[in-house]
Amino acid sequence: MKQVNFKGVNLPAIGIGTWHMGDNLKTYAQEKATILYGLNHGATVIDTAEMYGEGNAETLVGDVLQEFDRQKVFLISKFYPQNATKERMKQALNNSLKRLKTDYLDLYLLHWRGSVPLSETVAGVIDLQKEGKIRHWGVSNFDTADLEELYGLPQGDQVFANEDLYNLANRGIEYDLLPWQRSRQLPLIAYAPIDQGDSRGQKLTQNSVVQKIADVHQVTPMQILLAWTIQSEDVMAIPQTSSIEHMKQNIEAGEIILSDSEMQQIDLQFPGPDSKQPLQMI
Ligand SMILES: NC(=O)c1ccc[n+]([C@@H]2O[C@H](COP(=O)([O-])OP(=O)(O)OC[C@H]3O[C@@H](n4cnc5c(N)ncnc54)[C@H](OP(=O)(O)O)[C@@H]3O)[C@@H](O)[C@H]2O)c1
């Protein structure tokens, strides 16, 4: 599996998303087995949030962690914007840790911006870091102006990563946000890297160029979409799946190297932005 270097920490380029998981008792065992398969095959980053199923996804991840070495997992969770005050985030984190059955997170993200001043949120996460309850802190759904504001705050530049929507159908952040992050060595975690499995907007996997490149590599079009997302060294993708077969494919996509010519053919089909685009979120 290709690795990314996030501020000196080596991590796999493909992690595991968990949105909509842990909600259904009938699929619970299958979901648990799928995440465990991913961990056992090198996808050792898990992305979850207190929001997902109001704690159900964290509970599922906590159950998986009973069967895997916690120290070998880079565990990410997120707090709601309304829990972004110093006091409320302490409680939110304790609740998350209880569900996850662990005593620390590797990365704690503000899920999206709300009305709590950013300065209070930064002071809060730094307190949690000092207490040893989180190793790193970061943000999600931040655009360039949000990051500029963050970097203007004391210790704001200690942010570990920004997690935003990024896939072949949503390349807007390439115009200014990604270059801005790159110039400050701030890595990107790409969410919905396969556009929620083709269920939104464009049917990326039905594109003839994507299909042709998939045929050349003897992989599925979905694997090409995923491989495209992580062609840069500072981008990690966190696809979600409840299928062991898909998890296997997603991990294998972490090995695919697209040639310059293939990247150019893809660019012609799905051009990058030529002006500032509003940040896309789901
Ligand atoms: N920070 C944020 O605000 C934010 C927002 C959205 C998402 N996220 C995070 O990002 C993760 C990923 O995003 P997402 O779940 O919205 O969308 P996604 O990962 O782009 O797509 C998930 C869908 O793709 C399907 N899929 C996965 N691998 C596949 C494969 N190899 N072949 C065919 N289909 C495949 C899955 O179905 P199967 O189960 O059938 O495989 C599922 O329906 C989330 O789970 C969450 O952890 C964060």
Side-chain angles (χ1 to χ4, degrees):
M1 161 89 76
K2 185 183 153 192
Q3 300 283 300
V4 288
N5 185 310
F6 271 27
K7 295 198 167 189
V9 183
N10 274 328
L11 296 169
I14 303 282
I16 301 174
T18 63
W19 196 13
H20 303 304
M21 297 180 84
D23 291 335
N24 186 340
L25 274 182
K26 285 190 190 145
T27 50
Y28 200 87
Q30 172 68 21
E31 290 169 350
K32 208 176 133 188
T34 303
I35 298 175
L36 196 56
Y37 179 93
L39 293 176
N40 277 318
H41 292 82
T44 50
V45 172
I46 299 182
D47 178 86
T48 190
E50 62 173 341
M51 185 193 98
Y52 300 163
E54 292 302 325
N56 287 345
E58 288 184 327
T59 300
L60 171 72
V61 171
D63 286 349
V64 174
L65 291 177
Q66 301 309 294
E67 296 175 30
F68 196 80
D69 182 353
R70 164 69 187 94
Q71 304 291 323
K72 293 193 173 138
V73 181
F74 190 90
L75 183 57
I76 307 171
S77 194
K78 318 185 194 76
F79 52 101
Y80 275 121
Q82 62 267 32
N83 287 337
T85 65
K86 268 187 157 195
E87 280 315 309
R88 288 183 66 124
M89 80 171 69
K90 268 187 198 165
Q91 191 55 50
L93 177 62
N94 284 340
N95 293 340
S96 287
L97 292 176
K98 205 166 160 194
R99 288 187 288 264
L100 288 161
K101 300 174 252 313
T102 183
D103 55 4
Y104 73 98
L105 291 180
D106 294 278
L107 179 59
Y108 201 29
L109 303 177
L110 169 60
H111 207 149
W112 66 89
R113 280 196 79 170
S115 55
V116 177
L118 214 42
S119 53
E120 179 170 355
T121 303
V122 173
V125 284
I126 285 174
D127 278 357
L128 298 177
Q129 206 174 16
K130 281 186 190 144
E131 282 179 46
K133 290 189 162 176
I134 62 171
R135 294 255 163 94
H136 308 278
W137 62 270
V139 293
S140 179
N141 295 301
F142 268 44
D143 203 347
T144 317
D146 303 305
L147 290 176
E148 274 169 354
E149 189 182 329
L150 179 62
Y151 272 64
L153 298 171
Q155 298 176 292
D157 62 355
Q158 289 179 16
V159 57
F160 186 78
N162 180 28
E163 180 172 309
D164 277 356
L165 175 68
Y166 184 51
N167 57 49
L168 203 43
N170 294 277
R171 297 182 60 173
I173 62 169
E174 288 174 31
Y175 185 74
D176 62 336
L177 181 65
L178 260 181
W180 193 97
Q181 292 197 199
R182 283 197 175 124
S183 68
R184 289 158 184 83
Q185 284 85 47
L186 177 64
L188 180 81
I189 301 172
Y191 76 66
I194 47 178
D195 212 23
Q196 299 199 303
D198 255 357
S199 61
R200 291 157 33 87
Q202 297 188 52
K203 298 280 179 256
L204 302 173
T205 54
Q206 287 166 25
N207 178 275
S208 60
V209 168
V210 172
Q211 289 181 343
K212 197 184 84 195
I213 296 172
D215 287 346
V216 170
H217 287 265
Q218 296 186 305
V219 299
T220 68
M222 203 63 91
Q223 287 174 291
I224 295 299
L225 301 185
L226 196 48
W228 177 88
T229 315
I230 54 159
Q231 286 306 293
S232 304
E233 309 251 305
D234 53 358
V235 180
M236 173 197 293
I238 46 166
Q240 178 274 331
T241 179
S242 302
S243 143
I244 289 184
E245 182 53 30
H246 288 171
M247 178 66 79
K248 188 168 177 280
Q249 291 172 3
N250 294 348
I251 290 168
E252 284 166 4
E255 308 283 353
I256 301 170
I257 295 170
L258 299 171
S259 68
D260 289 347
S261 151
E262 288 169 337
M263 289 297 275
Q264 281 160 11
Q265 292 171 50
I266 291 173
D267 277 345
L268 285 175
Q269 299 292 310
F270 304 98
D274 55 10
S275 61
K276 169 76 185 158
Q277 311 283 315
L279 183 67
Q280 301 293 306
M281 298 179 203
I282 48 176

